[in-house]
Amino acid sequence: MGDCIFCKIAVGEIPAKKCFEDDFVIAFHDIHPLRPTHVLVIPKRHIVSLTNVGLEDEPVLGRMLSIAQKIAVEHGSDDGFRCIINTGRVGGQEVPHLHLHILGGSEPVGPMVSKVK
Ligand code: AMP
Ligand code: ZN
């Protein structure tokens, strides 16, 4: 676990606005929301990124996606939402503990990516 901020949130060492928890995952509100709904879903176990997953991680990866709809609807995204997993340097990942962004609200989230100039 070391100094991982999301591991600390998972064990309650750092406060977060948690909105879902089970044996595999925890979900909490992003501290700097980019849309009216912006929730992060993380595995409780420290996994750095999608670069570091194996077959043994399929249950937790499945759970991260299968609870996304429930979380989105509970937070005002009953007409769709977007899931993003930033991975590594090229993917723009800032926190090195795997996390799924759930973005939504009542208005469209917007273009998927902007053009690189
Ligand atoms: P990423 O760029 O995909 O690694 O996203 C990391 C996300 O974690 C950003 O959207 C941050 O706003 C969010 N974040 C960082 N620290 C915290 C925290 N203590 N509580 C909630 N969200 C956080
Ligand atoms: Zn961690």
Coordinates of all heavy atoms in Angstrom, one line a residue, residues 34-35 38-41 50 64-65 81-87 91-92 98-103 109 111-113:
L34 N -15.7 17.0 -12.5 CA -15.6 17.6 -13.8 C -17.0 17.6 -14.4 O -17.2 18.3 -15.4 CB -14.7 16.8 -14.7 CG -13.2 16.7 -14.3 CD1 -12.5 15.8 -15.2 CD2 -12.6 18.1 -14.4
R35 N -18.0 16.9 -13.8 CA -19.4 16.9 -14.3 C -20.2 16.8 -13.0 O -19.7 16.4 -12.0 CB -19.7 15.7 -15.2 CG -19.0 15.8 -16.6 CD -19.5 17.0 -17.4 NE -18.9 17.1 -18.7 CZ -17.7 17.7 -19.0 NH1 -17.0 18.2 -18.0 NH2 -17.2 17.7 -20.2
H38 N -19.6 12.8 -10.8 CA -18.2 12.3 -11.0 C -17.8 11.5 -9.8 O -17.4 12.0 -8.7 CB -17.3 13.5 -11.2 CG -15.9 13.1 -11.6 ND1 -15.0 14.1 -12.1 CD2 -15.3 11.9 -11.8 CE1 -13.9 13.4 -12.4 NE2 -14.0 12.2 -12.3
V39 N -17.9 10.2 -10.0 CA -17.6 9.2 -9.0 C -16.5 8.3 -9.5 O -16.4 8.0 -10.6 CB -18.9 8.4 -8.7 CG1 -18.6 7.2 -7.7 CG2 -20.0 9.3 -8.1
L40 N -15.6 8.0 -8.5 CA -14.5 7.0 -8.8 C -14.8 5.7 -8.2 O -15.2 5.6 -7.0 CB -13.2 7.6 -8.3 CG -12.8 9.0 -8.8 CD1 -11.5 9.4 -8.0 CD2 -12.5 9.0 -10.3
V41 N -14.6 4.6 -9.0 CA -14.7 3.3 -8.4 C -13.3 2.6 -8.4 O -12.6 2.6 -9.5 CB -15.7 2.4 -9.3 CG1 -15.9 1.0 -8.6 CG2 -17.0 3.1 -9.5
L50 N -4.5 -0.6 -15.4 CA -4.9 -1.7 -16.3 C -3.7 -2.4 -16.9 O -3.8 -3.5 -17.4 CB -5.8 -1.2 -17.5 CG -7.3 -0.9 -17.2 CD1 -8.0 -0.5 -18.5 CD2 -7.9 -2.1 -16.6
M64 N -16.4 -3.6 -11.0 CA -16.2 -2.1 -11.2 C -17.2 -1.6 -12.3 O -17.8 -0.6 -12.2 CB -14.8 -1.8 -11.6 CG -13.8 -1.9 -10.5 SD -12.1 -1.8 -11.0 CE -11.9 -0.1 -11.5
L65 N -17.4 -2.4 -13.3 CA -18.3 -2.1 -14.4 C -19.8 -2.4 -14.0 O -20.7 -1.6 -14.4 CB -17.9 -2.8 -15.7 CG -16.7 -2.3 -16.4 CD1 -16.4 -3.1 -17.6 CD2 -16.8 -0.8 -16.8
F81 N -24.3 7.8 -19.1 CA -23.1 8.3 -18.4 C -21.9 7.8 -19.2 O -22.0 7.1 -20.2 CB -23.1 7.7 -16.9 CG -23.2 6.2 -16.9 CD1 -22.1 5.5 -16.8 CD2 -24.4 5.6 -16.9 CE1 -22.1 4.1 -16.7 CE2 -24.5 4.2 -16.8 CZ -23.4 3.5 -16.7
R82 N -20.7 8.2 -18.8 CA -19.5 7.8 -19.4 C -18.5 7.2 -18.4 O -18.4 7.8 -17.3 CB -18.8 8.9 -20.2 CG -17.6 8.5 -20.9 CD -17.0 9.6 -21.8 NE -18.0 9.9 -22.8 CZ -18.0 11.1 -23.5 NH1 -17.1 12.0 -23.3 NH2 -19.0 11.3 -24.4
C83 N -17.9 6.1 -18.7 CA -16.9 5.5 -17.9 C -15.5 5.7 -18.6 O -15.4 5.4 -19.8 CB -17.1 4.0 -17.7 SG -18.6 3.7 -16.7
I84 N -14.5 6.1 -17.8 CA -13.2 6.3 -18.3 C -12.2 5.7 -17.3 O -12.3 5.8 -16.1 CB -12.9 7.8 -18.4 CG1 -13.8 8.5 -19.4 CG2 -11.4 8.1 -18.8 CD1 -13.7 10.0 -19.5
I85 N -11.2 5.0 -17.9 CA -10.1 4.5 -17.1 C -8.8 5.0 -17.7 O -8.3 4.5 -18.8 CB -10.0 2.9 -17.0 CG1 -11.3 2.4 -16.4 CG2 -8.8 2.5 -16.2 CD1 -11.4 0.9 -16.3
N86 N -8.2 6.1 -17.2 CA -7.0 6.6 -17.7 C -5.9 5.6 -17.2 O -5.8 5.2 -16.1 CB -6.7 8.0 -17.1 CG -7.7 9.0 -17.6 OD1 -8.2 9.0 -18.8 ND2 -8.2 9.9 -16.7
T87 N -5.0 5.3 -18.2 CA -3.9 4.3 -17.9 C -2.6 4.8 -18.3 O -2.3 5.1 -19.5 CB -4.3 3.0 -18.7 OG1 -5.6 2.6 -18.3 CG2 -3.3 1.9 -18.3
G91 N -2.1 7.6 -21.2 CA -3.5 7.7 -20.8 C -3.8 8.8 -19.9 O -5.0 9.1 -19.6
G92 N -2.8 9.5 -19.4 CA -3.0 10.7 -18.5 C -3.4 10.3 -17.1 O -4.0 11.1 -16.4
L98 N -5.6 1.8 -9.8 CA -6.6 1.7 -10.8 C -8.0 2.3 -10.3 O -8.4 2.1 -9.2 CB -6.9 0.2 -11.0 CG -8.0 -0.2 -12.0 CD1 -7.6 0.3 -13.4 CD2 -8.2 -1.7 -12.0
H99 N -8.6 3.1 -11.2 CA -9.9 3.7 -10.9 C -10.7 4.0 -12.1 O -10.1 4.3 -13.2 CB -9.7 5.0 -10.1 CG -8.7 6.0 -10.7 ND1 -7.4 5.9 -10.6 CD2 -8.9 7.1 -11.5 CE1 -6.8 6.9 -11.2 NE2 -7.7 7.6 -11.8
L100 N -12.0 3.8 -12.0 CA -12.9 4.0 -13.1 C -13.6 5.3 -12.8 O -14.2 5.5 -11.7 CB -13.9 2.8 -13.1 CG -15.1 2.9 -14.0 CD1 -14.7 2.7 -15.4 CD2 -16.2 1.9 -13.6
H101 N -13.6 6.3 -13.7 CA -14.3 7.5 -13.6 C -15.7 7.2 -14.1 O -15.9 6.7 -15.2 CB -13.7 8.6 -14.4 CG -12.4 9.1 -14.0 ND1 -12.2 10.3 -13.3 CD2 -11.1 8.6 -14.2 CE1 -10.9 10.4 -13.1 NE2 -10.2 9.5 -13.6
I102 N -16.8 7.6 -13.3 CA -18.1 7.6 -13.8 C -18.5 9.1 -13.9 O -18.6 9.8 -12.9 CB -19.1 6.9 -12.9 CG1 -18.7 5.4 -12.7 CG2 -20.5 7.0 -13.4 CD1 -19.5 4.7 -11.6
L103 N -18.8 9.5 -15.2 CA -19.1 10.9 -15.4 C -20.5 11.0 -16.0 O -20.9 10.3 -16.9 CB -18.1 11.5 -16.4 CG -16.7 11.6 -15.9 CD1 -15.7 11.7 -17.1 CD2 -16.5 12.9 -15.0
V109 N -22.1 14.5 -21.7 CA -20.8 14.7 -21.1 C -19.9 15.5 -22.1 O -19.0 16.2 -21.7 CB -20.2 13.3 -20.8 CG1 -18.7 13.4 -20.4 CG2 -20.9 12.7 -19.6
P111 N -17.6 15.7 -26.1 CA -16.8 14.9 -27.0 C -16.0 13.9 -26.3 O -15.5 14.2 -25.2 CB -16.0 15.9 -27.8 CG -16.6 17.2 -27.5 CD -17.4 17.1 -26.2
M112 N -15.7 12.8 -26.9 CA -14.9 11.7 -26.2 C -13.5 12.2 -25.9 O -13.0 12.1 -24.7 CB -14.9 10.4 -27.0 CG -14.4 9.3 -26.2 SD -14.8 7.7 -26.9 CE -13.7 7.7 -28.3
V113 N -12.8 12.7 -26.9 CA -11.5 13.2 -26.6 C -11.3 14.4 -27.6 O -12.0 14.5 -28.6 CB -10.3 12.2 -27.0 CG1 -10.2 11.2 -25.9 CG2 -10.5 11.7 -28.4

